[in-house]
């Protein structure tokens, strides 16, 4: 029976039997992995405060010879990100991000860039940075690392670059994955629209290094427009609306 050792962020936990948990983690070395935590519900000492949603930990797990889930033998907390779980709005944002990771990534395939992105986003959220801005950054980078970046540099129909396009508003074609200029719209309104200033800000984030992306100052309207656009674009290409997105919208409506 061999063992693996890695860092991981807890994405999901499910009760199994009377005493155990099945947890799914995004690990640094092995990507998304489901593991068994035996007696995690029965013994308070065994994994004290470690197997909480969004927590980052280091762990050692054994790999059974006859197949089945790896079994966690040791787990120690690296970053609890505790303020997230104590705040309904932060919890809603973190749940949305972790659901995207859980739904999109293949099992057992290392995704170091997405691991670092999720860790960066959770740390910023835990540290009190504006959740809407962090979510814009997370979604743009997640799309970029997944090969699904929205086309923001040019019109997807005529090919003209944004700097050469007239007008302050652009349409956005979800199916084609990019902007549509006013000339190509021919006066026909589109369901999804973006202001020129918002497009420039999104494009700057899309082409910047992650550590610099959060420094950009958004107006309240640009945050609202950016979130509305991305939260339509991401589910469209995911093929379904994440359940956590409904929860997130409820929290925002309640003013959390």
């Amino acid at each position: 029976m061999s063992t693996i050792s890695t860092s991981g962020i807890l994405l999901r936990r499910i009760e199994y039997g009377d005493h155990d948990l099945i947890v799914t983690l995004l690990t640094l070395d092995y990507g998304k992995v489901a593991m068994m935590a035996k007696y995690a519900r029965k013994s308070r000492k065994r994994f004290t405060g470690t197997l909480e949603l969004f927590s980052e930990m280091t762990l050692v797990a054994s790999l059974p010879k006859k197949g089945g889930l790896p079994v966690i033998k040791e787990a120690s907390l690296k970053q609890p990100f505790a303020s997230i779980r104590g705040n309904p709005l932060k919890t809603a944002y973190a749940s949305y991000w972790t659901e995207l990771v859980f739904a999109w990534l293949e099992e057992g395939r290392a995704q170091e860039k997405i691991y670092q992105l999720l860790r960066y986003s959770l740390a910023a959220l835990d540290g009190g940075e504006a959740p809407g801005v962090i979510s814009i950054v997370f979604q743009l980078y997640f799309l970029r690392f997944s090969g699904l970046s929205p086309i923001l540099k040019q019109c997807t129909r005529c090919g003209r670059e944004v700097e050469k396009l007239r007008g302050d508003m652009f349409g956005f074609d979800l199916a084609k994955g990019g902007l549509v200029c006013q000339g190509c719209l021919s006066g026909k309104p589109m369901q999804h629209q973006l202001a020129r200033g918002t497009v420039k800000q999104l494009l700057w984030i899309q082409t910047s290094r992650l550590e610099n992306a959060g420094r950009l100052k958004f107006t309240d309207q640009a945050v609202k427009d950016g979130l509305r656009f991305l939260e339509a674009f991401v589910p469209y290409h995911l093929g379904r609306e994440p359940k956590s997105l409904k929860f997130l919208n409820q929290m925002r409506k309640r003013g959390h």
Side-chain angles (χ1 to χ4, degrees):
M1 184 181 293
S2 59
T3 61
I4 59 172
S5 178
T6 187
S7 297
I9 298 171
L10 203 148
L11 305 176
R12 181 171 293 191
R13 46 181 279 165
I14 300 172
E15 294 182 356
Y16 184 77
D18 294 329
H19 309 305
D20 307 334
L21 288 174
I22 294 176
V23 295
T24 303
L25 303 106
L26 176 60
T27 67
L28 180 60
D29 301 291
Y30 305 98
K32 185 180 75 172
V33 181
M35 297 185 181
M36 179 73 72
K38 288 187 175 295
Y39 302 104
R41 295 166 57 205
K42 183 179 181 181
S43 173
R44 293 183 179 180
K45 295 181 180 179
R46 185 161 170 74
F47 298 110
T48 306
T50 306
L51 302 180
E52 300 291 340
L53 286 175
F54 322 128
S55 294
E56 184 185 29
M57 67 199 75
T58 56
L59 56 91
V60 177
S62 61
L63 302 174
K65 289 182 178 180
K66 296 181 180 180
L69 297 178
V71 177
I72 299 175
K73 295 299 183 184
E74 301 173 23
S76 58
L77 202 57
K78 288 182 72 176
Q79 293 291 341
F81 300 128
S83 79
I84 295 176
R85 293 186 298 277
N87 181 292
L89 183 60
K90 289 183 178 182
T91 297
Y93 273 106
S95 297
Y96 174 52
W97 305 337
T98 53
E99 185 176 353
L100 292 183
V101 171
F102 181 88
W104 214 311
L105 299 191
E106 295 178 21
E107 190 92 16
R109 180 182 174 188
Q111 297 278 2
E112 184 177 350
K113 288 183 178 179
I114 292 180
Y115 182 94
Q116 298 296 352
L117 170 63
L118 182 58
R119 189 188 187 285
Y120 167 90
S121 302
L122 292 173
L125 188 64
D126 185 65
E129 295 188 30
V133 175
I134 303 166
S135 194
I136 288 173
V137 171
F138 176 86
Q139 290 176 90
L140 281 173
Y141 275 86
F142 187 77
L143 290 166
R144 174 174 157 184
F145 296 151
S146 301
L148 291 168
S149 288
I151 300 169
L152 300 170
K153 289 184 177 180
Q154 62 194 51
C155 174
T156 53
R157 296 184 184 176
C158 67
R160 295 181 67 192
E161 295 182 359
V162 168
E163 292 80 3
K164 298 178 182 179
L165 297 175
R166 295 181 179 179
D168 293 324
M169 295 295 296
F170 305 107
F172 197 93
D173 189 329
L174 292 181
K176 290 192 174 182
L179 295 178
V180 182
C181 70
Q182 291 296 329
C184 291
L185 286 173
S186 302
K188 298 177 182 178
M190 295 193 76
Q191 181 182 358
H192 302 285
Q193 297 189 47
L194 287 171
R196 180 182 290 274
T198 304
V199 170
K200 286 184 177 180
Q201 289 181 305
L202 295 177
L203 188 56
W204 189 88
I205 291 173
Q206 194 180 63
T207 55
S208 298
R209 294 173 63 88
L210 179 59
E211 56 267 29
N212 298 327
R215 298 176 185 174
L216 187 63
K217 301 299 181 184
F218 278 81
T219 64
D220 290 344
Q221 189 59 49
V223 172
K224 220 176 260 189
D225 292 345
L227 287 174
R228 188 184 302 116
F229 155 63
L230 286 166
E231 289 168 9
F233 185 87
V234 170
Y236 181 89
H237 289 278
L238 184 62
R240 61 177 178 81
E241 182 176 337
K243 292 179 180 178
S244 53
L245 185 53
K246 296 178 182 178
F247 174 53
L248 175 56
N249 284 326
Q250 288 173 358
M251 291 299 101
R252 288 192 291 225
K253 286 177 182 177
R254 292 177 186 176
H256 283 284

